[in-house]
Amino acid sequence: MALLNVLCYPDPRLHKIAKPVAQVDARIKKIVADMADTMYEAPGVGLAATQVDIHERILVIDLSDEQNELMVFINPEITWASAEKKSWREGCLSVPEFYDEVERPAEIRIKALDIEGKEFELEADGLLAVCLQHELDHLQGKVFVEYLSLLKRTRISQKLKKRSKELEGER
Ligand code: GNR
Ligand code: NI
């Protein structure tokens, strides 16, 4: 088991754009395993490679209570989004302890490669649709706070900067 360091907003590396994975090989499988360990340890329901400073199109999600339903998405692409929107209270491992409402399409269809490199398509609604869109944003360098007002974002940024300075002082 290997835990990866999760970048914290407003780290500029969270805005890097992830590149497609050319081949699902042993290196990618190791990244996926380490990302799953990191997500379960946090704990979180999803993690994008960008959050652990790996800028390749890889996501892991597990919405189960027992942490035994890992979903892996490599090179994910949204192929359809509903016109209907839904608002959810979102959180992010890269924005610890802040939660706010974000409106997104209620249902989406997504195409990706699984851990064996095989293509699959999936239709998602509810928390899975929210989580997938939140993770896909990370791969594009976007953090959920960018949907909030400038005032809220500035406050969050300042509080997190202050907190990371305090943590540095403790070390
Ligand atoms: O653990 C997480 N919970 C969550 C709750 C509502 C909407 C999105 C999420 S994703 C988040 C983990 C994370 O930061 N993934 O990028
Ligand atoms: Ni996140």
Side-chain angles (χ1 to χ4, degrees):
M1 154 147 164
L3 297 178
L4 306 169
N5 180 48
V6 177
L7 301 177
C8 190
Y9 187 83
D11 193 307
R13 291 170 289 181
L14 285 169
H15 303 305
K16 288 174 80 167
I17 294 177
K19 294 201 165 64
V21 169
Q23 201 184 342
V24 183
D25 54 14
R27 183 182 68 89
I28 299 297
K29 288 180 189 183
K30 165 78 172 137
I31 292 174
V32 167
D34 292 348
M35 283 175 63
D37 289 343
T38 305
M39 170 180 74
Y40 289 138
E41 176 73 16
V45 295
L47 189 72
T50 308
Q51 292 177 277
V52 290
D53 204 20
I54 296 171
H55 303 282
E56 301 185 58
R57 295 187 62 83
I58 308 169
L59 307 177
V60 293
I61 292 182
D62 191 333
L63 304 180
S64 72
D65 291 330
E66 292 81 23
Q67 302 193 327
N68 59 1
E69 290 171 28
L70 182 67
M71 291 187 276
V72 177
F73 300 84
I74 297 164
N75 296 346
E77 302 288 346
I78 290 182
T79 56
W80 173 83
S82 65
E84 189 201 337
K85 301 278 201 305
K86 198 171 187 318
S87 181
W88 274 77
R89 196 169 157 77
E90 297 194 14
C92 181
L93 296 174
S94 297
V95 192
E97 290 164 47
F98 287 92
Y99 302 87
D100 215 328
E101 298 281 330
V102 177
E103 191 181 80
R104 301 180 186 273
E107 277 182 70
I108 57 163
R109 211 170 289 142
I110 192 162
K111 189 177 79 176
L113 303 178
D114 66 17
I115 191 67
E116 302 305 333
K118 194 166 163 280
E119 191 175 293
F120 68 98
E121 210 164 345
L122 178 90
E123 202 164 307
D125 62 8
L127 179 59
L128 181 57
V130 173
C131 198
L132 275 167
Q133 291 175 84
H134 174 116
E135 305 311 343
L136 274 149
D137 275 351
H138 276 303
L139 298 181
Q140 297 293 348
K142 187 159 182 175
V143 180
F144 87 97
V145 298
E146 290 169 64
Y147 292 101
L148 309 179
S149 67
L150 180 60
L151 177 66
K152 281 187 179 175
R153 209 178 332 132
T154 305
R155 274 195 199 137
I156 291 170
S157 215
Q158 284 171 344
K159 282 190 182 153
L160 289 176
K161 272 189 214 162
K162 184 162 172 269
R163 197 179 301 167
S164 75
K165 274 216 189 86
E166 285 165 1
L167 288 173
E168 262 171 47
E170 284 169 23
R171 274 197 268 115

